[in-house]
């Protein structure tokens, strides 16, 4: 049996503002503390793993033990931005020197007109909007006229919403592919996102969301591993974030529970390589909706499933738990926040009680993963394998 690394991204679980957070409008943000403000945060397993030893959240409890298990720390983002694509790409070894374009005033009318001509459908909204509010405010008109609801956010995204009973999901995906093809150059936003909804007004978004990302501009740890014959297994929207590049097998998921279950199924398999999981509910369902109670419950639920994950780890396996940005549910903003991300490392062969401090770059994760497989080449980042193994 080969080596296996299980890399789990708790989407948006930041651990405190970075020094340049104010430049992004995020001064004072701390996603974990924001969730904890609900009084419902209960994470005894992560506490054992050193999560609350990490600077930024290490003052939340008085009885924090001295790093009882393997290794923990936090990482700063070298890339310009605070979105999902940029964060995941940096984890995998790409530092984005320029932020992906955002559209605070909506997309240019010339693009909207050209997109309407390609799809044969009128476009409604075309401005930053909450995903739940936009279908409430525009859903009826979209159904009556056959139009598409298009909108953006503070992130680099072009989102298309449509009622599944009137525009089938597969057709919505085709419209997203057209937009992805058109959104290049100065309009090259990070993701085009299908946002299907259903039911009666005010409507409900379904789990059949689908992201269409830019293709990574250079090779990542996924490409390095797959090109060397290693397995690269994707759980959740990892396959979409990397535009399928460097991935050998994937499964999409509908929520955190499904993502954890699919990861556990991969843990029962013999493979040699990386299992890369994204758990999206923290961000999509709770962070963007400023739901501190829901966010705390989601973190507590993840914590409750950790014993199952740890129990399935084999002797040579390494478990890494991290994030990709913040999304503090307790601040007025409903958008991502520029925060440090946590890092937990656990494995039977790892050293005990290692505090990694604050490392410069999410890409150190990718460099460490490649180093573990003896393939540390071709990506940004510095390996910390020697500190933990």
């Amino acid at each position: 049996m080969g080596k296996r690394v299980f890399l789990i991204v708790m989407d948006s679980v930041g651990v405190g503002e970075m020094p340049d957070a104010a430049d992004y409008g995020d001064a004072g943000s701390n996603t974990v503390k924001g969730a904890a403000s609900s009084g419902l945060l209960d994470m005894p397993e992560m506490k054992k793993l050193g999560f609350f030893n990490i600077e930024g959240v290490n003052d939340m409890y008085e009885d924090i033990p001295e790093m009882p298990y393997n290794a923990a720390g936090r990482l700063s983002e070298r890339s310009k931005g605070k979105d999902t694509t940029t964060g995941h790409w940096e984890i995998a070894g790409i530092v984005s020197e320029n932020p992906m374009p955002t559209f605070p005033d909506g997309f240019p009318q010339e693009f909207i007109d050209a997109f309407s001509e390609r799809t044969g459908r009128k476009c409604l909204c075309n401005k930053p909007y909450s995903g739940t509010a936009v279908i409430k405010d525009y859903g009826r008109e979209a159904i009556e006229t056959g139009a598409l609801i298009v909108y953006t956010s503070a992130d680099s995204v072009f989102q298309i919403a449509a009622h599944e009973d009137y525009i089938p999901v597969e057709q919505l995906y085709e419209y997203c592919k057209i937009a992805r093809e058109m959104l290049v150059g100065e309009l090259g936003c990070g993701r085009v996102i299908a946002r299907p909804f259903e039911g009666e007004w005010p409507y409900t978004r379904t789990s059949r969301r689908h992201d269409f990302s830019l293709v990574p501009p250079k090779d990542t740890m996924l490409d390095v591993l797959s090109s060397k014959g290693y397995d690269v297994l994707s759980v959740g929207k990892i396959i979409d974030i990397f535009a399928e590049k460097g991935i050998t097998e994937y499964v999409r998921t509908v929520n955190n529970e499904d993502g954890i279950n699919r990861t556990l199924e991969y843990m029962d398999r013999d493979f040699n390589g990386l299992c890369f999981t994204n758990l999206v509910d923290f961000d999509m369902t709770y962070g963007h909706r400023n739901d501190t109670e829901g966010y705390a419950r989601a973190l507590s639920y993840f914590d409750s499933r950790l014993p199952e994950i740890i129990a399935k780890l084999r002797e040579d396996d390494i478990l890494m738990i991290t994030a990709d940005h913040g999304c503090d549910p307790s601040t007025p903003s409903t958008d991502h926040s520029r925060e440090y991300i946590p890092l937990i490392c656990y494995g039977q062969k790892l050293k005990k009680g290692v505090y990694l401090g604050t490392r410069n770059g999410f890409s150190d994760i990718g460099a460490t993963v490649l180093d573990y497989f003896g393939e540390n080449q071709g990506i940004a980042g510095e390996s910390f394998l020697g500190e933990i193994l």
Side-chain angles (χ1 to χ4, degrees):
M1 293 183 289
K3 294 180 178 179
R4 307 187 305 176
V5 173
F6 294 90
L7 175 56
I8 298 177
V9 175
M10 304 181 295
D11 201 307
S12 86
V13 182
V15 290
E17 62 177 320
M18 283 182 48
D20 61 357
D23 297 339
Y24 293 80
D26 299 321
S29 292
N30 187 314
T31 298
V32 174
K33 285 188 175 181
S37 69
S38 67
L40 299 174
L41 188 65
D42 183 26
M43 303 184 74
E45 300 302 322
M46 286 287 274
K47 187 176 180 181
K48 293 176 187 175
L49 294 175
F51 184 65
F52 296 104
N53 293 80
I54 297 171
E55 185 177 352
V57 293
N58 60 353
D59 57 350
M60 290 177 61
Y61 299 100
E62 295 181 357
D63 59 339
I64 299 298
E66 290 294 326
M67 287 301 300
Y69 281 100
N70 295 140
R74 67 178 186 175
L75 303 103
S76 62
E77 186 164 14
R78 292 169 57 192
S79 298
K80 303 300 183 183
K82 55 176 183 177
D83 60 34
T84 295
T85 301
T86 301
H88 281 78
W89 284 7
E90 184 166 328
I91 288 170
I94 295 177
V95 175
S96 302
E97 302 294 344
N98 299 307
M100 292 182 176
T102 56
F103 302 88
D105 300 315
F107 285 76
Q109 191 59 45
E110 298 87 339
F111 166 76
I112 295 297
D113 292 342
F115 180 64
S116 291
E117 185 174 350
R118 288 280 304 271
T119 61
R121 292 184 182 271
K122 178 183 174 183
C123 293
L124 303 176
C125 187
N126 186 33
K127 53 188 173 183
Y129 228 98
S130 157
T132 51
V134 79
I135 58 177
K136 179 181 179 181
D137 293 348
Y138 290 92
R140 284 172 168 161
E141 184 180 354
I143 291 170
E144 291 169 359
T145 63
L148 299 171
I149 304 170
V150 302
Y151 63 106
T152 186
S153 72
D155 300 325
S156 182
V157 294
F158 180 74
Q159 304 182 88
I160 310 175
H163 196 295
E164 291 190 359
D165 289 348
Y166 299 89
I167 298 178
V169 170
E170 292 302 326
Q171 183 63 63
L172 176 59
Y173 293 166
E174 289 302 315
Y175 294 147
C176 288
K177 291 176 183 177
I178 291 171
R180 180 71 280 169
E181 175 191 327
M182 297 174 66
L183 289 166
V184 294
E186 293 183 354
L187 299 182
C189 63
R191 288 176 294 160
V192 174
I193 307 177
R195 293 289 197 174
F197 60 95
E198 64 185 356
E200 302 297 324
W201 187 89
Y203 312 113
T204 303
R205 294 202 294 189
T206 76
S207 63
R208 288 171 284 280
R209 160 189 172 155
H210 191 80
D211 293 30
F212 298 82
S213 291
L214 284 173
V215 176
K218 58 183 73 171
D219 284 350
T220 68
M221 69 169 173
L222 312 182
D223 300 292
V224 174
L225 289 173
S226 59
S227 69
K228 296 294 185 177
Y230 292 96
D231 300 302
V232 179
L233 313 179
S234 160
V235 179
K237 66 179 184 179
I238 298 297
I239 183 75
D240 301 321
I241 293 168
F242 290 91
E244 304 184 14
K245 192 170 181 285
I247 291 167
T248 62
E249 186 177 335
Y250 70 92
V251 58
R252 290 192 170 90
T253 60
V254 297
N255 54 31
N256 281 4
E257 180 181 11
D258 191 26
I260 293 167
N261 290 340
R262 301 290 82 77
T263 301
L264 288 167
E265 289 173 5
Y266 274 140
M267 296 187 83
D268 288 331
R269 294 230 330 238
D270 292 332
F271 68 89
N272 186 26
L274 172 69
C275 176
F276 198 174
T277 296
N278 174 280
L279 301 179
V280 71
D281 284 357
F282 305 111
D283 182 64
M284 182 178 71
T285 306
Y286 306 112
H288 286 300
R289 299 181 187 178
N290 284 354
D291 183 352
T292 58
E293 293 186 1
Y295 209 118
R297 289 191 176 98
L299 284 168
S300 301
Y301 173 75
F302 172 68
D303 191 86
S304 74
R305 301 294 304 273
L306 268 176
E308 298 173 64
I309 295 171
I310 291 172
K312 288 182 179 289
L313 291 171
R314 299 174 182 173
E315 184 179 8
D316 291 324
D317 291 348
I318 294 178
L319 170 67
M320 294 183 174
I321 302 171
T322 189
D324 55 340
H325 50 71
C327 195
D328 189 336
S330 68
T331 62
S333 170
T334 59
D335 296 312
H336 294 161
S337 43
R338 177 83 167 173
E339 297 184 43
Y340 294 102
I341 61 169
L343 176 64
I344 297 292
C345 300
Y346 180 87
Q348 295 178 28
K349 290 189 173 181
L350 300 190
K351 297 174 184 176
K352 306 298 182 184
V354 176
Y355 186 63
L356 294 168
T358 300
R359 297 191 64 88
N360 182 28
F362 299 178
S363 51
D364 286 5
I365 295 174
T368 302
V369 170
L370 290 185
D371 196 7
Y372 187 56
F373 291 104
E375 302 291 347
N376 191 10
Q377 57 179 345
I379 69 168
E382 295 184 9
S383 172
F384 51 83
L385 186 68
E387 297 180 47
I388 65 173
L389 184 63

